Amino acid sequence: MNVAKTGYRVFSANSSAACTELAKKITERLGVELGKSVVFQESNRETRVDVKESVRGQTIFIIQTIPRDVNTAIMELLVMAYALKTSCAKNIIGVIPYFPYSKQCKMRKRGSIVCKLLASMLAKAGLTHIITMDLHQKEIQGFFSFPVDNLRASPFLLQYIQEEIPDYRNAIIVAKSPSAAKRAQSYAERLRLGLAVMHGEAQCSESDMADGRHSPPCVRNTTGHPGLELPLMMAKEKPPITVVGDVGGRIAIIVDDIIDDVEDFVAAAEILKERGAYKIYIMATHGLLSGDAPHLIEESAIDEVVVTNTVPHEVQKLQCPKIKTVDVSMILAEAIRRIHNGESMAYLFRNITVDD
């Protein structure tokens, strides 16, 4: 029995072995058993959830890691939350280490802010609180109508740098783009290392469309008011990739929050090699590593990619031995314990800066 006397249960919203691994690590640290439930797909691909024990009046924590099939994972979370809500659970708290659709948090052309839509869906399904880690943009917390605890993975990644990278004192922290400079600066200041920033990106990158500057197209409005003529805007052209800072003879450590399509990281590694860096590490919280990412990393100048276990990536690790994993189940378990006991979360954010 999952320690009923304590008044809380911990469930996994996915029954696959890869997705329950993190949930099992968290429950082991808490000293509780994983709640009894079955999550599966019907023959027509509909999601079905069966909760096998009473949750009436209990605080429920649902752990959901996001595999490659993102939409199925979202439906599993929604259906389980609603099943617990209709089973009279007192509070339903989602533990979602990697929050999906977090990159779609800005208006692009005639698109939609999908992250806001997902926040509304989770609230409607019955969630009353969320624990997540390193949101792509911290402003995403404002999309929710209930509390959000945005934990940080930086202490674990900093510890890895200090303990696992030989001669890390000869390293330099690199921001892959100017938008990542604040995060890189935070790492550099705490490690007492130098900082380099790469400027210039591949065309059609995320930042090109993030602010909707190309919608509508930049043409004069000939059908509007005859006295109104808006000035033409020059098209934005990005320069070739350059490095601001000296990386010659140094270990280059690129830091970011998400590593998914790795083409930009591979290109950055090649430039850093040309500039004289003799080892290149990539540190990221969420290792999505989609598509041919393992193969591209293996064939690139990158020496090691270090990510946390917020997203299951065991298959990718088998394909590429350069991928290493840092376990963050400790901080997630502690967050659950503190929320259940009504303790302050401030301890989990000690020595954390706004830019982490």
Side-chain angles (χ1 to χ4, degrees):
M1 182 61 69
N2 192 12
V3 262
K5 64 181 181 179
T6 63
Y8 78 101
R9 303 275 203 279
V10 180
F11 286 87
S12 173
N14 192 304
S15 296
S16 66
C19 294
T20 56
E21 180 181 357
L22 180 60
K24 290 178 179 177
K25 288 183 178 181
I26 291 173
T27 52
E28 286 175 3
R29 291 183 180 277
L30 290 169
V32 301
E33 295 178 5
L34 200 58
K36 297 180 176 65
S37 64
V38 178
V39 183
F40 61 96
Q41 305 293 316
E42 299 276 13
S43 57
N44 62 353
R45 301 297 296 168
E46 289 184 358
T47 299
R48 180 165 179 173
V49 174
D50 289 333
V51 179
K52 300 295 186 180
E53 56 184 289
S54 175
V55 297
R56 182 177 295 273
Q58 302 291 312
T59 295
I60 306 299
F61 293 88
I62 308 174
I63 300 172
Q64 177 65 312
T65 52
I66 307 297
R68 290 191 176 186
D69 191 352
V70 176
N71 295 326
T72 297
I74 291 171
M75 281 305 302
E76 290 170 345
L77 179 60
L78 293 171
V79 174
M80 173 163 277
Y82 191 69
L84 295 167
K85 177 183 177 181
T86 54
S87 298
C88 299
K90 182 180 179 181
N91 295 303
I92 304 172
I93 301 172
V95 183
I96 314 170
Y98 167 66
F99 195 80
Y101 287 100
S102 59
K103 285 189 175 182
Q104 297 190 45
C105 61
K106 299 177 181 178
M107 181 64 73
R108 301 182 188 178
K109 294 191 177 181
R110 295 175 183 85
S112 60
I113 305 176
V114 183
C115 194
K116 167 64 175 174
L117 172 64
L118 180 54
S120 301
M121 292 167 64
L122 293 173
K124 191 67 175 179
L127 265 67
T128 58
H129 194 146
I130 277 182
I131 303 170
T132 187
M133 180 169 283
D134 281 341
L135 287 169
H136 186 57
Q137 297 288 341
K138 297 173 183 63
E139 293 79 7
I140 291 173
Q141 295 175 80
F143 292 165
F144 295 86
S145 58
F146 49 75
V148 176
D149 285 309
N150 183 27
L151 304 178
R152 307 293 198 274
S154 56
F156 298 91
L157 297 176
L158 290 167
Q159 183 181 28
Y160 185 94
I161 292 172
Q162 293 173 315
E163 296 180 355
E164 301 297 332
I165 298 181
D167 196 22
Y168 83 92
R169 291 292 183 186
N170 189 38
I172 186 168
I173 304 298
V174 179
K176 184 172 63 69
S177 64
S179 61
K182 286 187 177 181
R183 180 188 300 270
Q185 181 181 2
S186 175
Y187 275 65
E189 288 175 351
R190 281 186 286 175
L191 290 169
R192 311 296 192 268
L193 300 177
L195 174 67
V197 179
M198 305 191 72
H199 178 52
E201 302 175 13
Q203 294 182 352
C204 300
S205 66
E206 175 191 354
S207 58
D208 283 330
M209 301 184 293
D211 57 2
R213 68 183 63 192
H214 297 308
S215 176
C218 298
V219 296
R220 291 187 182 274
N221 184 1
T222 58
T223 61
H225 192 280
L228 177 64
E229 286 193 5
L230 297 177
L232 286 173
M233 295 293 292
M234 294 182 63
K236 184 174 68 172
E237 292 184 6
K238 293 192 175 181
I241 297 178
T242 57
V243 181
V244 181
D246 183 16
V247 299
R250 312 284 285 277
I251 300 171
I253 303 175
I254 303 174
V255 297
D256 213 333
D257 61 328
I258 299 173
I259 176 169
D260 189 2
D261 298 321
V262 299
E263 286 84 356
D264 288 349
F265 290 93
V266 171
E270 291 176 357
I271 295 295
L272 292 170
K273 276 288 186 182
E274 292 175 4
R275 298 293 190 277
Y278 69 91
K279 272 193 177 182
I280 299 169
Y281 291 80
I282 295 175
M283 316 292 293
T285 303
H286 310 296
L288 305 186
L289 302 169
S290 303
D292 294 331
H295 174 71
L296 294 174
I297 293 170
E298 184 66 24
E299 299 297 324
S300 72
I302 299 169
D303 291 281
E304 198 167 279
V305 174
V306 183
V307 294
T308 71
N309 56 345
T310 56
V311 178
H313 51 264
E314 293 305 314
V315 174
Q316 291 91 327
K317 287 181 68 175
L318 293 174
Q319 297 172 346
C320 177
K322 292 182 179 180
I323 301 172
K324 308 297 181 184
T325 306
V326 174
D327 181 24
V328 293
S329 62
M330 177 192 304
I331 193 170
L332 294 170
E334 181 63 13
I336 291 174
R337 189 193 68 80
R338 286 177 174 271
I339 289 173
H340 171 64
N341 293 335
E343 299 177 20
S344 172
M345 297 287 282
Y347 178 79
L348 302 182
F349 294 94
R350 69 193 191 284
N351 299 326
I352 296 294
T353 67
V354 176
D355 297 324
D356 279 356

